[in-house]
Amino acid sequence: MNIARSLRAGLVALTVALTPVLATAPATAAPLPTIVLVHGAFADTTSWDGVASLLRARGYQVVTPDNPLRGPANDAAAVQRTLDTISGPVVLAGHSYGGFVISNVHDPKVESLVYIAAFAPVQSEIAQLALDPIRFPGSRLLPPVLQVKVVDDPQGIAGKNIDGYVAPASFHEVFAQDVSDATAADMLAHQRSIAVAANLEPSGPPSWASTPSWFLVSGGDRIIPPASQRFMANRMGARTSEIDAAHASLVSRPDEVAAVVEAAAAR
């Protein structure tokens, strides 16, 4: 009997001693979201390499799906197929035309949106309006910098389409003036053309209207004028910051871009 009473007393004392420790122990940390990075026009998935590497080093799962660059509805569906393979929360980021694409993705797993020198359309808006030289002067995405060509495209008329691309002689100066010659040459080698019709296709209801959003403006952008970026960021109520960078800030300033994406992931 005395032994049993002693054991009970010992358990009570141990419970009392551990109670403050258990009460102050941190709750199990929520899983980190998967970060999905969507590239824009005149680029491919490699444009996100620097940012993706930094985020992976900080423990995030990072996915960089291919953006077909055929049109907002088609390209949003392609990104959605990637999201369908992911369980758990997602932070969805888009650069340039990639912002138009993520604005047309509606998935409840997406907790935050990040726009990097990107288009952020309202419903029925076309990308070309954001380059309006009357309201937002400064874009150099005009001939002869902007060139067009006929490409094979199963979705086009008779298997063909008209695509736009940045002229090689102007690529470094206009698209990424703040990177080295070697880096610009590598980016040019990875340039992907975009269907001209993609810039004329109206957007659907924007996902940013119901999703917390971040916007990083490129103050030295020669593709999407900084004034246009600030206008879009303001009307969407995004958490906005700005750096003195070219259009391809994700390549020239990966640390700052990764920091914005991580801020969205930690909201």
Side-chain angles (χ1 to χ4, degrees), residues 21 31 44 51 57 71 76 93 147-148 166 196 198 220 229 232 240 250:
V21 176
D44 67 3
V51 174
Q147 300 283 306
V148 296
V166 176
V196 171
Q229 295 179 43
M232 290 184 285
T240 305
L250 69 175

Side-chain angles (χ1 to χ4, degrees), residues 11-183:
L11 287 172
V12 170
L14 181 62
T15 300
V16 171
L18 288 176
T19 296
V21 176
L22 294 172
T24 58
T28 302
L32 291 175
T34 298
I35 296 174
V36 179
L37 305 174
V38 180
H39 69 83
F42 320 126
D44 67 3
T45 60
T46 62
S47 61
W48 282 110
D49 281 356
V51 174
S53 178
L54 289 168
L55 292 170
R56 288 180 179 125
R58 296 167 190 171
Y60 293 95
Q61 293 290 326
V62 181
V63 181
T64 54
D66 181 61
N67 181 359
L69 306 177
R70 298 297 90 195
N74 173 84
D75 301 340
V79 172
Q80 182 62 57
R81 288 192 289 274
T82 294
L83 296 184
D84 290 341
T85 68
I86 299 171
S87 60
V90 170
V91 172
L92 186 57
H95 171 243
S96 189
Y97 167 77
F100 213 105
V101 175
I102 68 172
S103 297
N104 284 273
V105 172
H106 298 272
D107 189 308
K109 293 194 297 292
V110 177
E111 294 189 336
S112 305
L113 296 166
V114 183
Y115 293 77
I116 306 298
F119 294 105
V122 294
Q123 186 170 0
S124 301
E125 192 171 41
I126 63 173
Q128 197 63 39
L129 285 178
L131 303 179
D132 180 349
I134 304 300
R135 292 189 301 161
F136 311 115
S139 176
R140 294 181 57 186
L141 193 61
L142 299 165
V145 171
L146 179 64
Q147 300 283 306
V148 296
K149 62 182 177 180
V150 177
V151 300
D152 294 327
D153 183 353
Q155 299 181 55
I157 299 174
K160 300 290 183 180
N161 212 335
I162 300 175
D163 273 24
Y165 65 98
V166 176
S170 302
F171 188 92
H172 190 181
E173 178 190 2
V174 174
F175 195 78
Q177 71 268 22
D178 54 356
V179 303
S180 68
D181 290 345
T183 298

